[in-house]
Amino acid sequence: MGNPQRRTFHVHSEIIGQGGSTFRKNRTVLLCLGLLNVVLLIAAVVIGFNCAKVREGPFHVSHPAVTQVLDELNYLRSNHSDVIEAEEAAKNAFERAVKNHAQLKEKIEQQKTINDNYQKQMEELQKEQTNLQSNMTALEGNCGRCLSGWALHNSSCYYFSSIEPSTVTKNWHDSRADCIRRGADLIVIDNEEEQRFVSGSIGDMRGTQDILRNSFWIGLTDTETEGTWVWINNVTEVERRYWMDGEPNNSHHHGEDCATAVYSPSNPWKTRNDINCNMYQRHWICEMTSS
Ligand SMILES: [Ca+2]
Ligand SMILES: [Ca+2]
């Protein structure tokens, strides 16, 4: 059995012996780890140094393939800068072109406005020229003794309403009112020469319409006494040869009390026809004393 105190001491010694062995092993591991850290630190420094060299300057690698890649990389870098410069230049050129285009467009608009104004002025001048020519023709035609558009014959001025648009026709009363408004009255044909003048004038003015439709009111009626034809100046017409054959016939059932002058190609003397004063719309002839 032995002494219990000696056995206890022996156990403690074993434990201490085992603990020392473990301590040695741990110290070896720690030493290895420390060395490994040193190696890793050196490796990190070397890699960092190489990376810094790559960033700061040309990377000297002797392998031809790597050299070629680096050359191409440098070439691409250079080209990239050129491309950026070219892009910037193109952008500036495009902006200048846009600006020039806007300025050109504005100039074109201004020129168009100027042209439009010239065109308007030309049209106004052409109108004025036409009016002047018309006035000159009128002056040449009536020597300035009649209003524009009126014809001079002997000492009278005559207005033939057929110079207005062909749609403008009136009944006898409205026609007379128009003449009065112009400072004249319906024509009074009181001599042979005037009859010839009227006959020739309405012959010159005859259009393609029916000659009866293209006739003119004159200042002659038998409104007061049927069959007694009186001019508007209260002179009774006694001449019968100026009526068309068979006229005046008062044929219309409402009566035919107003006279018209009708173009008569067969006999220029026979130019008068009686028709209803109100039911028909005709041209008319005004007469006033010339100045
Ligand atoms: Ca009559
Ligand atoms: Ca008649």
Side-chain angles (χ1 to χ4, degrees), residues 179-204:
C179 290
I180 291 170
R181 185 177 60 79
R182 295 173 189 273
D185 207 331
L186 282 172
I187 185 173
V188 173
I189 305 171
D190 50 12
N191 61 70
E192 198 175 289
E193 193 180 1
E194 193 173 22
Q195 168 65 23
R196 186 182 292 111
F197 166 72
V198 171
S199 178
S201 297
I202 62 177
D204 293 340

Side-chain angles (χ1 to χ4, degrees), residues 222 226-227 229 250 255-257 274:
D222 70 341
E226 176 57 33
W229 289 90
N250 198 43
E256 294 184 326
D257 294 343
D274 59 337

Side-chain angles (χ1 to χ4, degrees), residues 137-157:
T137 304
L139 284 171
E140 285 167 3
N142 60 38
C143 302
R145 294 173 61 188
C146 297
L147 296 171
S148 176
W150 291 60
L152 174 68
H153 180 72
N154 290 335
S155 57
S156 287
C157 300

Side-chain angles (χ1 to χ4, degrees), residues 35-56:
L35 286 171
L36 184 61
N37 282 343
V38 170
V39 170
L40 286 173
L41 181 62
I42 292 169
V45 169
V46 170
I47 290 168
F49 179 73
N50 284 337
C51 287
K53 281 177 72 178
V54 167
R55 279 197 300 271
E56 289 172 1

Side-chain angles (χ1 to χ4, degrees), residues 197-264:
F197 166 72
V198 171
S199 178
S201 297
I202 62 177
D204 293 340
M205 294 174 190
R206 71 182 186 279
T208 54
Q209 293 182 43
D210 175 75
I211 57 170
L212 289 175
R213 282 181 173 277
N214 205 31
S215 56
F216 296 77
W217 293 116
I218 59 177
L220 182 63
T221 69
D222 70 341
T223 307
E224 292 295 323
T225 304
E226 176 57 33
T228 300
W229 289 90
V230 181
W231 291 100
I232 53 171
N233 61 358
N234 293 321
V235 173
T236 301
E237 176 63 271
V238 294
E239 184 63 71
R240 306 292 296 180
R241 61 176 171 152
Y242 298 138
W243 290 101
M244 297 174 78
D245 292 337
E247 305 292 343
N249 57 4
N250 198 43
S251 68
H252 200 276
H253 63 278
H254 290 297
E256 294 184 326
D257 294 343
C258 291
T260 55
V262 184
Y263 172 63
S264 176

Side-chain angles (χ1 to χ4, degrees), residues 128-142 148:
E128 199 174 332
Q129 185 187 19
T130 304
N131 288 338
L132 285 170
Q133 283 177 338
S134 175
N135 289 342
M136 274 185 65
T137 304
L139 284 171
E140 285 167 3
N142 60 38
S148 176

